[in-house]
Each structure stands twice: as C-alpha cells, then as structure tokens.
Amino acid sequence: RSVYNIHIEHLWVDLANGISSKWKLFFQDLEVSSGLNVDNAHHIWLLHHLFLDILGCEIHGWAKAWNHHRMSTYDHSMSSPHKMCFLSMLQHGACGFEGAPTFHPPEDTLQSDKAVAKYGIDWDGVDNHGIHSHHDMVNQPDPLSNNPFVAYIPETLNHIEVDEPNCLLSPEQLAHLHAHLAQFIDDRTIHSRGHFWEQALVMCIQLMSLTD
C-alpha cells in the first residue's frame, strides 16, 4: 500500500505492456494450439532452447530504451534515467559501491514544501487506474487496505520454483535439429515463432523415435 512503491509498480506495468504480456500470450497460445505441455520438462527445455536468448535480448533492448528515454523530474527538467544516474555519481559519488563515501545531502536540499511533497513519490502514478489494476491483478487482496496504520503481510508469498530442464538430445541430434531449423526465418511475428516451435517439436519427436 505504500505510495513509495508506485515507481516500481509503474515500471512493472510498462514492462508487462512492452514485453511480458506478449510472451505470456504467445506461450499460452502454444499450449492451446501447438502441442506445448507445460508439465513436460522436455517441452520446457525446448522452449528455453528456442526462445530464452530471444526473450533475453528483447528484455535487454527494452531496458536500454527505458534507461535512455527522457522523463520529467520534480524540478520539471527533462532527463533520462541513465543520465540522471551518471550525473548523480559525478556530483555525489558512487553510492552503493564498496568503498564509496557516504553522501549526506546539504541541509537546504529539502527545505521547500514543494521539494518535500515531491520527494520519492509519483503522485500522478498513485491515482493511475492502470497501475492499480495491474497491482491488484498480480497481488493478493489486502483486507486492511483502508487502515493506513497497519502493515499487511500476506499469509503466503509468491513463489515460483524453476528446475533447470535437461537436454535428452545427443550432440549429433542437436546439430541435426539446428540444421533443420536454420531454413526457417524468424520475422518476429507470433505466427512465425509458433511455426518455429511446431517444427522443432516435430523434429525432436522424430529424432527421439529413431533412438528407440
């Protein structure tokens, strides 16, 4: 419920809209229409093998774009997160790094009521319906939300345990799979990537059937 969390909640919404929702729908579509069995560890291995690097590149690209996008600050200037971080380290030192001197802001930094009111809180984000909807969708309901003096701790915390899947294919079989998939072009559409998965799954089934 803390308004100090609104920045990270806003960032989660942006990430969901830009990356994770698209991939979630894609994987769900594979499960419904293209034979993906999420309870099959070998299917999960194939999913990782085909798409994990692509997903990682998209996330890094999104993060780079976000870090360099211009945004307004409390003093109404425009700057990017990357630039603000760099200039802050030049001005105040590299806080958070081992051996870095402790920074104490000047006494007059937060003297004005306006500065205090803005410090650390995105008040526009607090009233953003989209951010609240995303938070409510992915978090457990808070029965004490109307009481600002109570720190609500959920009975169970979100926990996802991911076991690293093993590859059953031999190096020769893996090379054969790669050679087969090389003929397909990834144009970054859901259709082409769905077809890519289907072809890979069929080839893996054929390769394993030859070992029986």
Side-chain angles (χ1 to χ4, degrees):
R1 294 199 307 273
S2 172
V3 292
Y4 294 98
N5 293 333
I6 200 67
H7 290 294
I8 192 62
E9 290 293 344
H10 201 161
L11 186 60
W12 278 123
V13 172
D14 290 343
L15 180 62
N17 291 336
I19 298 290
S20 56
S21 292
K22 174 186 69 176
W23 281 93
K24 178 182 178 181
L25 292 174
F26 171 61
F27 293 143
Q28 288 175 335
D29 185 63
L30 293 185
E31 188 177 1
V32 172
S33 307
S34 300
L36 170 62
N37 181 358
V38 296
D39 295 321
N40 187 323
H42 307 303
H43 281 208
I44 299 302
W45 169 83
L46 183 59
L47 205 66
H48 287 189
H49 188 69
L50 296 178
F51 301 117
L52 195 59
D53 288 342
I54 298 174
L55 178 56
C57 287
E58 287 197 9
I59 292 174
H60 283 294
W62 183 90
K64 184 177 180 179
W66 194 93
N67 284 332
H68 288 82
H69 87 287
R70 290 167 60 82
M71 57 191 298
S72 60
T73 60
Y74 77 92
D75 60 355
H76 303 294
S77 62
M78 299 293 292
S79 188
S80 69
H82 179 269
K83 184 177 180 180
M84 286 188 283
C85 178
F86 178 72
L87 293 179
S88 177
M89 286 193 292
L90 288 180
Q91 183 178 0
H92 305 306
C95 299
F97 293 88
E98 185 177 355
T102 302
F103 168 67
H104 298 285
E107 291 293 331
D108 60 348
T109 301
L110 297 176
Q111 288 299 312
S112 70
D113 293 338
K114 183 178 180 181
V116 173
K118 288 285 187 178
Y119 186 74
I121 301 175
D122 177 10
W123 290 107
D124 292 333
V126 171
D127 297 324
N128 188 300
H129 177 72
I131 296 176
H132 278 284
S133 298
H134 180 269
H135 177 273
D136 294 340
M137 179 179 65
V138 299
N139 290 277
Q140 301 177 40
D142 182 355
L144 305 174
S145 59
N146 294 325
N147 190 334
F149 295 98
V150 178
Y152 172 66
I153 301 177
E155 296 180 2
T156 58
L157 300 177
N158 292 334
H159 175 72
I160 300 176
E161 187 171 337
V162 180
D163 296 324
E164 183 175 356
N166 295 320
C167 174
L168 289 181
L169 301 180
S170 67
E172 293 77 14
Q173 290 173 322
L174 199 57
H176 194 83
L177 173 64
H178 292 166
H180 175 68
L181 295 177
Q183 62 184 303
F184 301 102
I185 299 176
D186 178 15
D187 61 7
R188 299 186 178 184
T189 64
I190 296 298
H191 176 75
S192 70
R193 287 178 174 172
H195 183 64
F196 194 62
W197 158 264
E198 292 170 355
Q199 291 296 320
L201 182 60
V202 169
M203 178 55 63
C204 286
I205 293 174
Q206 293 176 354
L207 290 172
M208 293 305 299
S209 65
L210 295 176
T211 62
D212 294 339

